[in-house]
Amino acid sequence: MEQLITPYGGELVNLLVSSTRALELKRDAFHLPSLDLNWRQQCDLELLLNGGYAPLTGYLGQADYLSVLHSMRLADGRAWALPVVLQIHETLARSLKLGEPLALRDPEGFMLAVVMVNEIWQADIELEAEQLGRAADAPPKWYVGGAVEGLSLPLRHDFMALRLTPAELRAGFTRLGWRNVIAYPARTQLQRAQYEFILRAAVQNEANLLIHPMAGGDPVESADYFALVRSYQAVIGRFPSATSQLALSPVYVRDGGVRDTLARAIIQRNYGCSHLIVGGEHDAHGQHRRGTDIVQHEDYQRVADHITEIGVGLIPFPRMVYVEERAQFMPLEELPKGARALTLTGAEIQRRLQAGVNIPDWYTFPEVLAEMRRSYPPRDRQGFTVFFTGLSGAGKSTIARALGTRLMEMGGRSVTLLDGDIVRRHLSAELGFSREHRNINVLRIGYVASEITKNRGIAICAPIAPYRNTRRDVRAMIEPLGGFLEVFVATPIETCELRDRKGLYAKARAGLIKEFTGVSDPYEVPERPELSIDTTDLSVDEAVQRILLKLEHEGYLR
């Protein structure tokens, strides 16, 4: 009788210890060094503990790490795509002793596991850059390898009924009599094209379906995570209930290369899946990633033996187009001659959502579209940040306050002014004016603005923000959550000095104030601000009007 596919390596690993052993580890932990794990590290730990990374029983040692980087195999020859290692900071690396346990905790200090420190080594940054596509100029990193004993899976509080372990899913599949199971490890909304192809793949392979969205990472920090999962909860009812199941995977999104696919194949096998759909999500340019392109890439041809050894059938997602005459999606390769094919890119869908433009019924389901509109409202209902930067005396604070007043008068969103001096008084009183402290102050402003923007308010920031990289970091914090308008108040320093009521420039030129921007410390001019304003011959009201017109042009104001 045909059986459910066995775990990779033959047995499903479970690294969670008994309650008795857990009490012993907790008692010993008072005297152990510890490491607070970030969210990615917690996801890796969860996959180690629950058997998703079977046959691994801990973090890789240096020999396995190097072997995986060079050949995508463990040192014993088994196929393995990505180095599952525990990164630690240098201070901890130099203080640890081999053979000593290290407690692993979540950011709140709750102990999740203990790793026996068998090896400590410095990462090969050049080799990682070559094999994993990481930055070649990354700072030094240190890794720990060793066996793991788990006390608890990382604590999660979202969609608990959907967070099933490999053992739980396997038990459910066995109880239902499932043997062949296709996994769709989604990371974007499931539209009609994906739906029709997934059903087609199930019929062709006589298989059941596991819709398994990647739900690793911190849900609170993800702008669209909850809408994504709710959309899957809404659409799962369209699949045959007797042959389909929805569950969340602790896997986090990686770059989508060959190593990523092999790693996902191993993980899905451990979850009980015999097949894996490759591709189907949107790439950075808004196009559907075609599985046929992915698996035909030369990188995949080089690892054909690895794919065979892992034992999971790869089902490439083709380029699906909507055929109007037949009112259905089909692969582009099967398009009848002369038939009209329709398609929409992810970028076009984003544009339509932001502009409040209609999205055709053939593209998506009503319940999915409702969640998309909740997550991606039109720009005039999104939050945004107006980030002023410029020299002291350029007019930033004056314009910012006037802009805030006008926006409050218009209504519709809450408006918060984050002036540099105000923030220093209330949030950064302990900071000085060194380059490091200025960066910290601006990043604090950026963080507060990102939270306001995420919650669909308006943040108006008016620091000097003299350094280009710090401004880039602030933009990166905010842009995924809403609008970001950088306004360079380009008033020349001569005008700023003439306006200097407090005599700060005079004191700086006399050497009484150290590291003063524009005099003894540089101001790095913005590269591509959304708006540049010189207030030398421009009134406050004129400056505000230019900003309001820009916001209206970009769609943030009606």
Side-chain angles (χ1 to χ4, degrees):
M1 180 179 173
E2 190 179 1
Q3 299 293 317
L4 193 67
I5 190 170
T6 59
Y8 187 54
E11 289 186 25
L12 189 64
V13 172
N14 177 12
L15 300 183
L16 293 171
V17 300
S18 67
S19 57
T20 302
R21 177 60 178 157
L23 286 174
E24 292 175 1
L25 291 172
K26 287 179 181 177
R27 187 177 60 247
D28 295 342
F30 287 108
H31 310 290
L32 296 181
S34 66
L35 174 69
D36 290 348
L37 303 180
N38 61 37
W39 270 99
R40 284 201 167 200
Q41 289 175 318
Q42 288 186 70
C43 293
D44 281 335
L45 178 63
E46 182 169 353
L47 289 164
L48 281 172
L49 297 181
N50 71 15
Y53 278 155
L56 301 188
T57 56
Y59 295 102
L60 299 185
Q62 188 174 12
D64 280 324
Y65 160 79
L66 292 172
S67 181
V68 167
L69 289 179
H70 282 294
S71 64
M72 285 189 267
R73 292 188 178 278
L74 298 171
D76 64 11
R78 288 178 292 183
W80 194 267
L82 291 167
V84 180
V85 289
L86 179 63
Q87 183 178 339
I88 60 175
H89 51 82
E90 184 177 357
T91 304
L92 181 59
R94 297 193 183 283
S95 65
L96 288 176
K97 297 181 178 64
L98 294 181
E100 179 180 62
L102 172 65
L104 305 180
R105 303 179 184 275
D106 69 15
E108 281 72 49
F110 181 76
M111 191 163 83
L112 301 171
V114 169
V115 57
M116 182 60 66
V117 180
N118 293 334
E119 294 182 63
I120 306 169
W121 74 96
Q122 192 168 354
D124 190 327
I125 300 296
E126 290 185 7
L127 184 60
E128 288 188 10
E130 177 187 340
Q131 299 295 335
L132 303 178
R134 294 176 180 170
D137 58 350
K141 295 188 293 187
W142 296 81
Y143 293 140
V144 158
V148 170
E149 292 182 281
L151 286 77
S152 168
L153 295 178
L155 302 179
R156 297 185 184 272
H157 310 287
D158 57 289
F159 305 109
M160 298 299 292
L162 298 178
R163 292 194 173 275
L164 303 175
T165 66
E168 289 168 335
L169 274 177
R170 284 178 160 274
F173 295 163
T174 301
R175 187 169 58 251
L176 294 170
W178 292 12
R179 298 297 176 260
N180 290 328
V181 183
I182 293 176
Y184 180 61
R187 58 183 182 183
T188 58
Q189 272 93 359
L190 191 146
Q191 314 295 1
R192 289 184 185 269
Q194 290 95 329
Y195 171 80
E196 293 195 19
F197 177 76
I198 291 168
L199 284 182
R200 173 179 170 145
V203 170
Q204 290 177 343
N205 290 277
E206 298 182 2
N208 302 280
L209 292 172
L210 174 63
I211 309 300
H212 212 194
M214 300 183 204
D218 185 353
V220 177
E221 295 300 319
S222 175
D224 57 1
Y225 165 75
F226 291 99
L228 176 66
V229 178
R230 285 195 302 265
S231 72
Y232 275 94
Q233 287 180 308
V235 83
I236 191 65
R238 293 181 176 270
F239 289 91
S241 60
T243 58
S244 308
Q245 182 165 353
L246 172 67
L248 297 183
S249 163
V251 173
Y252 52 85
V253 176
R254 295 186 175 93
D255 65 0
V258 61
R259 288 179 182 268
D260 180 32
T261 301
L262 295 184
R264 278 193 275 166
I266 291 171
I267 292 167
Q268 295 300 163
R269 173 169 177 167
N270 287 327
Y271 273 93
C273 300
S274 55
H275 296 77
L276 170 68
I277 292 178
V278 181
E281 65 274 11
H282 293 106
D283 66 13
H285 306 291
Q287 299 285 353
H288 278 102
R289 295 177 64 248
R290 287 192 287 178
T292 46
D293 293 340
I294 296 170
V295 300
Q296 289 171 8
H297 192 275
E298 60 180 13
D299 287 346
Y300 278 79
Q301 306 311 310
R302 288 199 293 265
V303 296
D305 291 344
H306 295 68
I307 295 170
T308 302
E309 183 181 328
I310 291 168
V312 172
L314 301 183
I315 302 175
F317 190 99
R319 175 123 187 248
M320 299 289 284
V321 294
Y322 184 72
V323 184
E324 213 169 16
E325 295 90 334
R326 299 193 179 188
Q328 72 178 89
F329 278 91
M330 63 173 51
L332 182 62
E333 294 79 9
E334 299 175 14
L335 184 69
K337 187 174 182 180
R340 185 182 177 210
L342 301 177
T343 186
L344 286 174
T345 67
E348 173 60 15
I349 293 299
Q350 284 290 96
R351 186 196 71 79
R352 291 182 179 225
L353 288 170
Q354 289 178 349
V357 176
N358 179 58
I359 292 174
D361 293 339
W362 59 260
Y363 179 81
T364 190
F365 298 107
E367 58 270 36
V368 175
L369 180 57
E371 288 298 340
M372 290 169 69
R373 291 204 183 279
R374 282 176 67 182
S375 184
Y376 306 104
R379 277 189 168 180
D380 64 306
R381 296 210 304 271
Q382 290 180 19
F384 64 85
T385 292
V386 179
F387 190 90
F388 291 92
T389 176
L391 295 169
S392 176
K396 302 181 302 300
S397 297
T398 304
I399 299 170
R401 185 170 294 278
L403 175 65
T405 302
R406 288 291 302 277
L407 291 170
M408 290 178 197
E409 178 187 340
M410 295 168 70
R413 298 180 181 95
S414 63
V415 181
T416 304
L417 176 62
L418 299 171
D419 182 74
D421 291 338
I422 294 172
V423 171
R424 273 194 173 273
R425 187 159 60 247
H426 294 289
L427 290 181
S428 302
E430 84 284 7
L431 298 181
F433 289 88
S434 66
R435 186 183 185 105
E436 179 188 3
H437 282 194
R438 290 182 192 193
N439 284 339
I440 292 171
N441 186 53
V442 173
L443 291 174
R444 285 179 183 175
I445 292 172
Y447 171 74
V448 175
S450 73
E451 289 296 303
I452 294 167
T453 300
K454 181 171 72 175
N455 290 286
R456 300 184 184 172
I458 299 173
I460 302 175
C461 309
I464 292 174
Y467 308 123
R468 222 173 264 132
N469 285 339
T470 313
R471 294 194 299 264
R472 280 195 205 118
D473 290 342
V474 170
R475 181 185 289 271
M477 255 190 264
I478 296 170
E479 277 190 330
L481 307 173
F484 185 84
L485 187 80
E486 184 179 36
V487 179
F488 173 36
V489 185
T491 310
I493 192 168
E494 295 78 14
T495 303
C496 295
E497 291 200 55
L498 289 174
R499 295 174 178 172
D500 186 15
R501 298 174 189 150
K502 299 177 184 178
L504 298 178
Y505 280 98
K507 291 177 181 177
R509 295 200 182 280
L512 300 177
I513 300 178
K514 306 297 182 185
E515 297 181 296
F516 190 84
T517 302
V519 178
S520 51
D521 198 69
Y523 178 83
E524 298 170 1
V525 173
E527 298 161 309
R528 287 183 295 276
E530 279 72 19
L531 200 58
S532 184
I533 294 174
D534 181 348
T535 63
T536 303
D537 298 309
L538 199 68
S539 72
V540 173
D541 288 336
E542 288 171 327
V544 168
Q545 189 61 25
R546 285 187 60 186
I547 297 168
L548 291 174
L549 288 172
K550 182 67 175 178
L551 289 168
E552 184 178 327
H553 177 265
E554 295 297 326
Y556 293 107
L557 299 177
R558 281 193 181 274

